[in-house]
Amino acid sequence: MNHRSTAFAAAYALMRVASDHSDHWGQSDFDAQCKGATDKAPVEYRHEDGATVTVGTEGGRRACLHHVLQVTATQGLALVAGTRVLGIRLHPGAVAVALAVSGLTHYAADRRVPQGLLQRLAKATGKERFYALADFGLNGSYCLDQSWHHSWETLAALLVSLKADQR
């Protein structure tokens, strides 16, 4: 296996696990509930102390940005630390591009304003019924969301591996 193959495999695994951790363990309940809020579709968020707040477009954007910055920072830390341990040297510019691709596409999917990007893509590709599925232990919109993230992280890992060196 050449160094690019090794760098790709490592970068993908590290970015994927960091994103998965961030989406499920690292994301705050507030961000998870409110990141798609808009003025036309506000979210009523109830804090643990019982206080309720109405979140609109600006709050939804901030919640989504906070979540995506947390995901991207976690991916960056995992990518840099993990490849360092493995003896793979990544080009800083390639890392920045990979993290930007992952972060921007994560925001685009997670903002999910009414008739959001993934819902429109599902409709355009004949997956609208699957997107709406919430039965049999499955949630179609969640599955498509995760597939979207996996796909873009694959591209990001490919980009970062193009300028990788082995030590």
Side-chain angles (χ1 to χ4, degrees):
M1 188 177 331
N2 70 38
H3 70 279
R4 285 188 182 154
S5 301
T6 304
F8 167 74
Y12 178 76
L14 292 164
M15 291 183 77
R16 179 80 295 267
V17 75
S19 182
D20 198 47
H21 173 83
S22 296
D23 264 350
H24 301 104
W25 290 100
Q27 181 172 206
S28 74
D29 184 60
F30 180 85
D31 290 349
Q33 299 295 322
C34 299
K35 63 189 176 188
T38 65
D39 292 340
K40 289 183 180 180
V43 171
E44 291 290 322
Y45 182 79
R46 183 180 175 137
H47 293 277
E48 287 183 18
D49 65 4
T52 303
V53 62
T54 301
V55 180
T57 300
E58 228 14 74
R61 287 178 183 150
R62 280 194 305 273
C64 194
L65 180 61
H66 182 262
H67 167 59
V68 168
L69 289 174
Q70 182 252 340
V71 169
T72 306
T74 304
Q75 285 183 319
L77 288 171
L79 193 55
V80 170
T83 55
R84 184 176 198 83
V85 168
L86 294 171
I88 300 167
R89 192 175 328 171
L90 302 177
H91 188 278
V95 170
V97 168
L99 292 173
V101 165
S102 181
L104 291 170
T105 59
H106 202 109
Y107 184 92
D110 281 14
R111 186 66 184 104
R112 57 176 186 261
V113 295
Q115 194 64 27
L117 174 65
L118 292 183
Q119 190 174 5
R120 288 192 316 265
L121 285 173
K123 185 176 184 175
T125 59
K127 298 290 184 192
E128 191 171 27
R129 289 179 60 191
F130 181 66
Y131 181 88
L133 177 67
D135 204 355
F136 308 108
L138 289 174
N139 180 305
S141 64
Y142 172 79
C143 290
L144 292 175
D145 171 85
Q146 290 301 297
S147 176
W148 170 270
H149 297 324
H150 286 250
S151 299
W152 286 105
E153 287 159 358
T154 301
L155 176 63
L158 283 169
L159 293 172
V160 81
S161 69
L162 292 176
K163 294 213 173 222
D165 294 323
Q166 284 186 314
R167 294 182 194 169

